[in-house]
Amino acid sequence: MDRRGSVPRAGGHQALAWQVRPASPSAAVLVLHGGQVAGLRAPGPVNLPGLRMRGFTCAVERATAGAGVAVGTVRYRCRGWNGDRADAARDTLAALSDLAEELGPVPTVLIGHSMGGRAALRAAGHPCVTGVVALAPWCPEDEPCEHLADRRLLMLHGDRDRVTAPADTLLFAGRARAAGAQVAGYRVEGSGHTLLRRAGDWHRAAARLTAGLLGLDVLPAEVAAALALRSPLEGGLQLPLAAAGHR
């Protein structure tokens, strides 16, 4: 039976909150919302970045229903990344540690938007993580990628994003591929950073890609082909995301 709840940690912070928790999960998905460059205050009760991810969480729940997949969210202690503290990444690793302790080493996919995308990519070296779906991720030029060897990364970015640069995501995707990651990237034409334009396409793509990474669905042919490429120059990092009804 599914249940919803949180896993307490020492110090009182609960980094992991379940949305769907089967009795014997065989896989897991964690959803990570965005945040700020800096900010030590805790997210408030009305958390717009968190609300933005509900559509993704619901889409993933539908795509994985009946397959024994636990779906959870990462709770941040702070609104910001906060420089070398990398608070969102620390909280993600704490949530993954709790997940592994509770469920065992089940294959896990991280879905992260903006700062949450950066946190997902930073934490993807955890042994449970098999793949990341990064939505308009924040990818500074010095973001490490050596730990991503053998991970599958699916990067989606709107071409009208003025908050996190699509060009930075492309550069990171190329560096990660050169470091041994399997990488595919989508360009979401006509959409910006908030993911509101073409929201349905974002939701459907993230859910299908997540199911594909968990082996519950077939990955789109163009994604499978891109994941097989090894050089940043070979392409597959700016695939156009088709709109609903134009597949």
Side-chain angles (χ1 to χ4, degrees):
M1 178 181 295
D2 288 0
R3 64 180 174 84
R4 298 169 185 256
S6 305
V7 178
R9 280 186 67 81
H13 179 66
Q14 298 173 337
L16 174 60
W18 293 120
Q19 308 303 309
V20 174
R21 179 22 177 113
S24 299
S26 58
V29 178
L30 293 185
V31 179
L32 295 77
H33 66 73
Q36 304 172 177
V37 173
L40 297 177
R41 294 177 58 189
V46 179
N47 181 16
L48 293 180
L51 292 173
R52 183 177 294 123
M53 300 307 291
R54 284 188 179 179
F56 291 95
T57 303
C58 291
V60 168
E61 290 178 12
R62 290 192 296 269
T64 61
V69 177
V71 181
T73 58
V74 176
R75 288 176 167 170
Y76 304 142
R77 289 165 297 130
C78 306
R79 296 173 186 263
W81 182 267
N82 299 318
D84 291 340
R85 286 175 47 138
D87 285 313
R90 292 174 57 198
D91 290 334
T92 303
L93 287 170
L96 285 165
S97 178
D98 288 340
L99 181 154
E101 182 176 351
E102 183 175 350
L103 307 184
V106 299
T108 300
V109 171
L110 304 178
I111 303 174
H113 171 235
S114 192
M115 184 185 77
R118 185 180 184 183
L121 292 166
R122 181 72 69 91
H126 189 279
C128 284
V129 177
T130 60
V132 173
V133 179
L135 311 169
W138 174 22
C139 296
E141 62 180 14
D142 60 347
E143 184 66 19
C145 59
E146 294 76 14
H147 62 293
L148 297 172
D150 301 322
R151 297 300 192 268
R152 291 184 291 172
L153 312 179
L154 305 180
M155 321 278 283
L156 295 83
H157 216 128
D159 64 348
R160 297 186 182 181
D161 197 324
R162 300 294 182 267
V163 177
T164 56
D168 290 346
T169 292
L170 180 60
L171 288 173
F172 180 87
R175 291 198 299 113
R177 185 182 276 178
Q182 301 172 50
V183 190
Y186 274 116
R187 181 181 69 257
V188 188
E189 296 182 0
S191 188
H193 190 71
T194 63
L195 316 182
L196 295 178
R197 291 191 179 217
R198 300 187 58 186
D201 292 328
W202 283 99
H203 297 162
R204 281 185 289 271
R208 182 184 179 187
L209 294 172
T210 298
L213 289 174
L214 292 175
L216 304 177
D217 196 357
V218 178
L219 286 168
E222 68 272 16
V223 170
L227 292 176
L229 302 176
R230 292 295 175 262
S231 167
L233 302 178
E234 290 183 287
L237 301 179
Q238 294 192 87
L239 303 166
L241 182 67
H246 297 83
R247 302 187 180 278

